[in-house]
Structures are given as structure tokens and as C-alpha cells.
Amino acid sequence: MTSPVWHPFTQHALAGAMPRVDRSDGAWLETEHGRLLDAISSWWVITHGHRHPKIVEAIKAQADKLDQVIFAGFTHQPAEDLARGLIAIAPARLAHVFYSDSGSTSVEVALKMALGFWRNQDKPRSRIIALEHAYHGDTVGTMSAGARGVFNAAYEPLLFDVARLPFPEGRGCDTLAALEELAKGAAALIVEPLVLGAGGMRLYSAELLCKMKALCERHGTLFIADEVMTGFGRTGTLFACEQAGITPDILCLAKGLTGGSLPLAATLCTPEIFQAHYSPDRSRTFFHSSSFTANPIACAAAVANLQIWCEEPVRERVAALGAMQEERLAQFRGDTRFENVRRLGTIAALDLKVPDPGYLAGLGPELTAFFHARGVLLRPLGNTIYVMPPYCVTAAELDLVYDAVAAAAVGFGGM
Ligand SMILES: *Cc1c(COP(=O)(O)O)cnc(C)c1O
């Protein structure tokens, strides 16, 4: 009955036994207790669907040839192919690809690149600017850049100071005014473009993103786009930055990079950032590595993912999913039990109105259990219910999800 496994973001004193997941297929998970519709893409990583045949095939083929190999002093074809493939589809001017193994490490790499950029030019700048409610990962550096709260209160003494922009409301004048104040002399601004994921699926406009980028340019402040969640179609375009027509100086990718099949991350940067580290002086080396940097099997899975984007009508699927989400959200748009009904690309979210904030802490897990009992994997952020399924989800499957959301409003809403 008792397991030695310590699960992530889990209070074991309150959580029951974890259902064992045995198989996955398309939008479905098969657990020991029955099937679950994976309406959050297994924590935002699965894009096309579980076990896409071309990705599975690429993983098998690569595993037969080359497994892990040291990446300092060596290279391999999957890493080379993937880097060229990413440069070809990423916003213009991104020219170099640094591999790591998770979203958090891709952001750590980005922050280190930014500081190295300034230090190597003997113009040391170290201030990082970030958005209120941001989430950039769970390592000490990325927690520092992220919002402070119950999740990192215990580690606060170790976190470094970050200048914070108010989350954009309306036209975002306060945000821009704060950025104008802080950008001068800052090393970098880091943002989740268009949607703050773990911060509650909060949306802001492409216009504002564009203005923030312009302001950074004016002050020479580097612009880091954390597209760990938004990348690979989530927001309706391949990358969220496209909607603002901007190229960040540094771009972080992870979750959907391998279609969600294997852990892999990439931090892309402009020639200027690379050049600042390019020198006969060894002290200007970019000093970062993780053991599994550019794992060949993960890179092969990512190359297969890029091929799927080329060969299959993924953009059409993403657009169709967005339209289906919009149709189903319509029923909640005048419903007084909900507020902030919103959508961006394939991501739909709505807040269940619960006047007693003291109740909020326990609401998320209660809702999660309610949805599980109805065969749907949803994991609300407090009272924010969001639906972020893999792109293979069908209209009938999406109906199951929204029937469950409607039922939750009856069970939990208006309390
Ligand atoms: C998930 C996420 C991360 C962290 O990625 P991990 O792979 O979990 O380390 C960083 N930034 C954003 C925006 C994310 O959504």
C-alpha cells in the first residue's frame, strides 16, 4: 500500500493513493481504474497526442544506433539536424541553439547567457526584470524570476532579487511605465509571451508584448521569451512571439519540443549573445552543461516532431481545436457562476466564482478529484479551470470535458 515514491507538488498527508497509469494513446491515459481523457496534455507537454507513431518510430530507430554521448567536444546528427530545423522555424535572427533537459534549465541557461553577455563586454549588468504572477520553473534561479508565494516561501532566503512589473491590465499602461523606469541598465526582461501559465492562465495582448520588446530595445535590455509552455502551437501560432512580430534575444523551449515524448530543452539566441562569448579568452566560455545535454534519442524525437509540423496539417488542427474550444466556452459566457471566460489558441480557461477565499486552497484538489471521477484529467489552478488538450482531441472528446466542467459548476459553483 505505501510507496517510497515522493510525488511532485503533492501533499502526501492529504493525497490518496496515486492511480497507476499503464498506457497512453492519443488523448487518453489508461489507468488501473479505467480510462482518463488527458485534457491538460499531461501537464502541458503532449502536443500532437500520446505516442504519435512517427515520434515512437524515431525513438526506436535512434535507440538502436546511439544512446547518450558526451556533448562537450563531440556532436551527433540528431542534435545538428534539430538545431538547423529550429533555426529555420524560429523567429528570424535566432542563430544558435544551446541544449539542456528541462524548461527550468532552459531558463537558467537564458539568464546565464544574459549575464555573460554583459560581463564579457565589460559592461556588467545584473538586474533581471520579470512579470508579476510569472512562472519560470522550480530551480532556485527560476523561482527567483517567478512570482513569490506559498510555493517558494521556504526558499525565499536563497532567492535573488528581481525587479517586478505589474501584470498588464487593460492596455497595460502601468506595466509599460514600470518597464520604462526599470529597463535602463537592466540585464534582461524575461516574459512568458501572451499567457502566464502556472500564474493562472492570465492573458495579455500581442500589442503589449510588442511594446515591451520595443522598450527593451531602446534601453539595450535583453529580451528573454520563455516559450516553454507557449511554444509549438499552444497559442494558435507555432510560437507566441510570432503574434507580436517580435524576435526575442533569447528563446526558451522545452515541453512540446519532443511532442512531449521525452525530456529535452533548447535555448536559442541571437549572434550578438553568442559573439559575446566567442573569444580566444577561455574565461569567456559559456560555462554550462548538464549530463544529458542534447541526448541523441530525445533530439531524434524532436526532429520527428518538426517533421510532423512540416508534413501534417498541424496548424489546421490547432486552428480547429481553437474553434472547438471557443464554441464550448460560449455556454459559460453569460453564466454567473463563472467569470473571466477566456481563450488563446488551444488554451481555454474560466474562473469558478467562489466568494470564500479561505476555501480556495482546498478547491483545486477537490475539483481535480471530481473530474477524475468523471473520467477527465483536469487539474485546476485554484478556482481557475483550464482545458489544454493535445491537438488530436475530437469534438466528442471535448464534449466530455465540458460536460464535466458544467457538472462542476452545479457541484461547486456559487458557493
Ligand atoms: C513548465 C514551465 C517551465 C518549467 O519547465 P520544466 O520542464 O517543468 O522545468 C518554465 N517556464 C514555463 C513558462 C513553464 O510553463
Side-chain angles (χ1 to χ4, degrees):
M1 179 64 206
T2 56
S3 160
V5 178
W6 195 342
H7 289 261
F9 271 82
T10 300
Q11 178 43 270
H12 281 278
L14 298 172
M18 309 283 147
R20 195 186 63 241
V21 185
D22 297 319
R23 290 186 67 85
S24 61
D25 189 29
W28 291 90
L29 300 176
E30 230 173 81
T31 81
E32 58 185 319
H33 307 308
R35 293 206 315 159
L36 271 183
L37 181 53
D38 188 357
I40 58 165
S41 299
S42 282
W43 247 353
W44 321 348
V45 300
I46 301 292
T47 49
H48 312 292
H50 286 277
R51 289 193 307 106
H52 188 292
K54 287 176 189 162
I55 294 177
V56 173
E57 193 46 52
I59 290 171
K60 286 180 178 169
Q62 187 57 43
D64 266 341
K65 271 195 282 196
L66 172 67
D67 56 357
Q68 176 63 31
V69 64
I70 180 171
F71 202 58
F74 292 90
T75 194
H76 54 72
Q77 206 56 46
E80 295 291 335
D81 292 346
L82 178 58
R84 283 189 179 78
L86 287 173
I87 296 300
I89 58 173
R93 281 189 36 75
L94 293 171
H96 299 274
V97 178
F98 192 95
Y99 291 114
S100 60
D101 42 28
S102 74
S104 298
T105 54
S106 76
V107 172
E108 294 275 354
V109 163
L111 296 173
K112 286 173 70 173
M113 278 182 181
L115 263 75
F117 171 84
W118 291 111
R119 186 189 146 95
N120 286 347
Q121 300 177 90
D122 300 319
K123 294 185 275 190
R125 293 189 184 192
S126 59
R127 184 163 68 247
I128 300 294
I129 311 172
L131 277 173
E132 184 190 8
H133 306 305
Y135 178 80
H136 296 292
D138 276 334
T139 56
V140 170
T142 58
M143 279 193 296
S144 300
R148 306 299 158 91
V150 64
F151 300 116
N152 46 43
Y155 326 113
E156 183 78 38
L158 290 184
L159 305 186
F160 57 77
D161 267 343
V162 166
R164 200 72 62 184
L165 300 180
F167 180 76
E169 305 287 351
R171 298 183 47 220
C173 298
D174 291 353
T175 309
L176 291 171
L179 182 57
E180 182 73 62
E181 192 96 330
L182 294 166
K184 192 170 185 312
L189 166 66
I190 180 165
V191 299
E192 297 161 87
L194 303 186
V195 50
L196 274 58
M201 298 299 157
R202 293 168 203 257
L203 309 183
Y204 65 93
S205 72
E207 189 189 346
L208 196 80
L209 182 61
C210 187
K211 285 184 177 160
M212 288 197 285
K213 173 69 172 75
L215 223 152
C216 284
E217 264 172 44
R218 235 187 319 118
H219 292 284
T221 303
L222 296 176
F223 188 95
I224 304 172
D226 175 356
E227 293 231 26
V228 168
M229 186 274 271
T230 52
F232 296 97
R234 274 296 160 209
T235 66
T237 45
L238 182 57
F239 301 112
C241 283
E242 289 171 26
Q243 295 181 41
I246 58 163
T247 293
D249 299 289
I250 305 177
L251 173 69
C252 304
L253 301 174
K255 293 184 169 121
L257 176 56
T258 58
S261 62
L262 285 174
L264 181 69
T267 308
L268 279 64
C269 71
T270 57
E272 290 79 6
I273 309 253
F274 181 81
Q275 283 305 324
H277 293 83
Y278 188 83
S279 160
D281 177 354
R282 285 186 197 281
S283 75
R284 298 194 176 191
T285 303
F286 185 54
F287 291 111
H288 192 97
S289 175
S290 36
S291 302
F292 289 102
T293 288
N295 174 268
I297 302 171
C299 286
V303 170
N305 171 43
L306 297 194
Q307 273 160 2
I308 292 165
W309 273 90
C310 272
E311 295 164 3
E312 296 185 18
V314 183
R315 284 170 179 80
E316 287 77 0
R317 270 178 220 148
V318 162
L321 173 54
M324 285 198 291
Q325 291 269 55
E326 191 64 39
E327 271 171 40
R328 280 153 191 79
L329 279 181
Q331 63 180 298
F332 301 104
R333 285 199 192 271
D335 189 330
T336 52
R337 296 167 301 182
F338 291 96
E339 58 194 341
N340 303 323
V341 181
R342 57 202 184 274
R343 181 183 70 87
L344 178 69
T346 71
I347 306 167
L350 63 178
D351 302 343
L352 192 55
K353 269 195 221 160
V354 196
D356 175 11
Y359 185 69
L360 279 181
L363 181 62
E366 278 184 50
L367 282 168
T368 299
F370 175 87
F371 291 128
H372 282 201
R374 297 184 60 107
V376 174
L377 171 51
L378 283 175
R379 196 183 154 94
L381 295 154
N383 66 329
T384 298
I385 300 172
Y386 67 90
V387 181
M388 198 196 286
Y391 309 153
C392 65
V393 77
T394 65
E397 287 164 347
L398 214 47
D399 285 338
L400 293 178
V401 178
Y402 283 93
D403 288 350
V405 174
V410 175
F412 295 84
M415 287 158 73

